[in-house]
Amino acid sequence: MSVVVLISGRGSNMQALMEAGLPVSAVISNRGNAAGLEIAAKRGVATKTVSHKDYPTREAFDAALAAEIDRHSPKLVALAGFMRILTPAFVSRHAGRLMNIHPSLLPAFPGLDTHERALAAGVKVHGCSVHFVGEQLDHGPIIIQAAVPVRPGDTPDRLAARVLRQEHVVYPRAVRWFLEGRLVIRDGVVNVKGNDAQLVYSDRD
Ligand code: GRF
């Protein structure tokens, strides 16, 4: 019943999953200096670096990553700030058990610099989405979203901090639902057995 978490950096979402008491069995990073690795190791969780720089192609890197994941036979692979685009082969191999958190209300603002782009677009509500990973970048059935207001005078950093606080709320919730076997996908739409709320709204700073 374990979860393998893939990171590239800070690891605050990874930490939120651990603090929620979820069964994280290993953390794998593509960068050896990812701060999250140390946080995980301090908690006694197995860590490993699989550097994309050690492999000539995306396919070779993804195969090495998959082999490392398989050693833990996880029920779920959770991407938490993992900054590599995964190959279709990797995605289909983990279909239905690969989750991501993205800092926007998808399908708006896939890709990078979401907070800057949200401010530039003048949206009044922003947020984050936890979704199953599909073959397209930041695309796939949405499990839960958290919305926050965009305030006059917001900077990308202030907005990012407001969103991140909610990321730490919704990601553990989504992972728990998955492990409890409560997520049902029909026609690309996710429902939660027992009707838990799949939308969080917070105007807290
Ligand atoms: C988060 O904003 C997450 O949504 C995005 O990358 C960031 C990772 O932050 N995919 P952290 O490493 O979890 O602190």
Side-chain angles (χ1 to χ4, degrees):
M1 265 300 257
S2 79
V3 181
V4 167
V5 182
L6 305 189
I7 64 168
S8 297
R10 182 173 58 182
S12 71
N13 277 290
M14 169 211 80
Q15 191 173 355
L17 298 179
M18 292 173 179
E19 283 174 357
L22 292 160
V24 176
S25 57
V27 173
I28 304 171
S29 172
N30 66 309
R31 292 195 190 123
N33 61 355
L37 287 173
E38 207 171 313
I39 298 170
K42 274 198 188 130
R43 300 181 76 99
V45 174
T47 62
K48 179 86 183 179
T49 299
V50 181
S51 172
H52 55 281
K53 293 188 182 147
D54 292 342
Y55 299 89
T57 61
R58 255 181 216 289
E59 285 71 21
F61 168 68
D62 279 10
L65 189 60
E68 189 54 38
I69 291 168
D70 283 352
R71 297 200 319 114
H72 302 277
S73 311
K75 179 137 177 144
L76 177 71
V77 178
L79 307 179
F82 185 69
M83 300 301 287
R84 300 294 299 173
I85 293 173
L86 295 162
T87 55
F90 183 98
V91 172
S92 65
R93 179 180 177 145
H94 298 91
R97 54 189 189 99
L98 186 59
M99 231 182 239
N100 182 42
I101 183 151
H102 180 75
S104 78
L105 292 174
L106 291 172
F109 311 121
L112 297 174
D113 303 325
T114 54
H115 310 299
E116 286 87 336
R117 288 158 59 210
L119 288 175
V123 296
K124 307 306 172 211
V125 64
H126 185 45
C128 59
S129 310
V130 181
H131 64 99
F132 284 111
V133 174
E135 286 201 1
Q136 245 175 294
L137 178 71
D138 298 326
H139 196 86
I142 292 169
I143 299 162
I144 186 168
Q145 294 185 304
V148 304
V150 178
R151 298 196 200 287
D154 263 349
T155 61
D157 281 354
R158 280 176 52 183
L159 185 54
R162 193 174 306 129
V163 171
L164 189 66
R165 206 163 291 124
Q166 299 311 313
E167 293 186 35
H168 299 162
V169 172
V170 293
Y171 209 1
R173 210 170 281 181
V175 169
R176 194 177 303 284
W177 286 337
F178 179 87
L179 294 177
E180 290 172 350
R182 291 175 62 197
L183 297 181
V184 183
I185 312 178
R186 194 183 307 140
D187 299 330
V189 174
V190 182
N191 285 296
V192 184
K193 285 188 209 161
N195 286 323
D196 257 321
Q198 289 171 275
L199 167 65
V200 169
Y201 177 76
S202 171
D203 62 3
R204 210 188 116 211
D205 263 313

